[in-house]
Amino acid sequence: MWSKGEDNEAVIEYDRSIVVPIKSTGSALVTVHHEGHAQAFVKRGGASAGRGGSAQGQKADVVLDMDATGDQYEFIINHGKNRFGSKEQPVKMRVVDTEDGDLDIESKGVAVGDRVADCVEAMVAAIEANPETMSSTKLRSMAKAGGFGTPTQTEAMAFLEREDPARVVCRKSVKYTNDDGNKCKGNLLRTPVQMANT
């Protein structure tokens, strides 16, 4: 528990009197901190989400943000910063009762926002409806026509690439005829069932 303030000077003192001595023993230090108040024209996120001086975000090797989901038993862990180079995706966690009467936390998989989830479903439906001509470029074009912006499309595509089990697979370097009747060569996106039938 730290009670000496949240400005940069206090954070520097925290670093000098708490962080450095603990790390010098070879131990890891986990600091739990609450989020700051919302400010006009300031988007809080990642390493800047914590309340207090900016120095605290600079000192940490890894910053994890915990966000509520609306369900009182679930929360999302976002990797706001990782000095070690890992690019972790947001993970949804759930608090569950164990058989011995205790509580445990289990992973519910990669977390995506509602808008990205809608885009993912629209993309899968489009691939299923166009198994012979669906390229990633055409898929993005259809998503754009459906009202999904580029960042949402990118997140949806990344989600589909790492989904397990996969609902979409890529058949590389195939020749096909597009909707205009032109012969093309490129990568087609299909579902595993469609791929098995070709």
Side-chain angles (χ1 to χ4, degrees):
M1 304 295 290
W2 179 256
S3 61
K4 296 189 179 180
E6 299 175 324
D7 58 14
N8 276 337
E9 289 76 16
V11 172
I12 291 169
E13 183 184 346
Y14 174 73
D15 181 58
R16 185 171 44 246
S17 60
I18 303 290
V19 177
V20 172
I22 289 177
K23 286 191 171 183
S24 68
T25 67
S27 300
L29 172 67
V30 176
T31 301
V32 179
H33 208 283
H34 61 296
E35 185 176 318
H37 298 296
Q39 299 176 19
F41 311 113
V42 176
K43 179 182 178 185
R44 289 193 169 271
S48 65
R51 178 173 172 170
S54 60
Q56 67 185 0
Q58 297 165 3
K59 299 292 182 184
D61 292 320
V62 177
V63 175
L64 302 179
D65 300 327
M66 295 177 64
D67 298 323
T69 65
D71 183 319
Q72 64 175 324
Y73 300 109
E74 289 185 349
F75 59 93
I76 294 173
I77 297 178
N78 293 295
H79 286 70
K81 180 179 79 172
N82 193 335
R83 287 192 197 275
F84 304 112
S86 177
K87 302 222 180 246
E88 301 291 340
Q89 298 297 322
V91 179
K92 183 180 286 187
M93 309 296 286
R94 184 168 181 83
V95 179
V96 295
D97 294 313
T98 61
E99 292 182 5
D100 59 1
D102 286 335
L103 295 176
D104 199 0
I105 298 175
E106 64 182 26
S107 173
K108 301 298 286 184
V110 175
V112 295
D114 292 340
R115 187 75 178 145
V116 174
D118 290 343
C119 186
V120 166
E121 296 307 320
M123 286 180 164
V124 171
I127 292 167
E128 290 173 342
N130 301 276
E132 300 303 321
T133 62
M134 186 55 69
S135 66
S136 57
T137 302
K138 182 176 178 181
L139 187 63
R140 281 183 173 272
S141 178
M142 293 180 74
K144 182 178 181 180
F148 298 103
T150 302
T152 302
Q153 296 169 30
T154 301
E155 283 192 53
M157 295 284 277
F159 178 84
L160 287 171
E161 286 175 6
R162 66 179 179 265
E163 193 174 34
D164 186 19
R167 285 187 289 171
V168 174
V169 291
C170 182
R171 184 176 178 195
K172 297 183 184 256
S173 298
V174 296
K175 294 178 181 177
Y176 63 96
T177 304
N178 66 15
D179 294 339
D180 298 327
N182 298 321
K183 296 203 179 285
C184 302
K185 183 178 180 182
N187 300 336
L188 290 180
L189 303 171
R190 297 185 175 188
T191 65
V193 172
Q194 291 168 339
M195 187 70 85
N197 292 333
T198 58

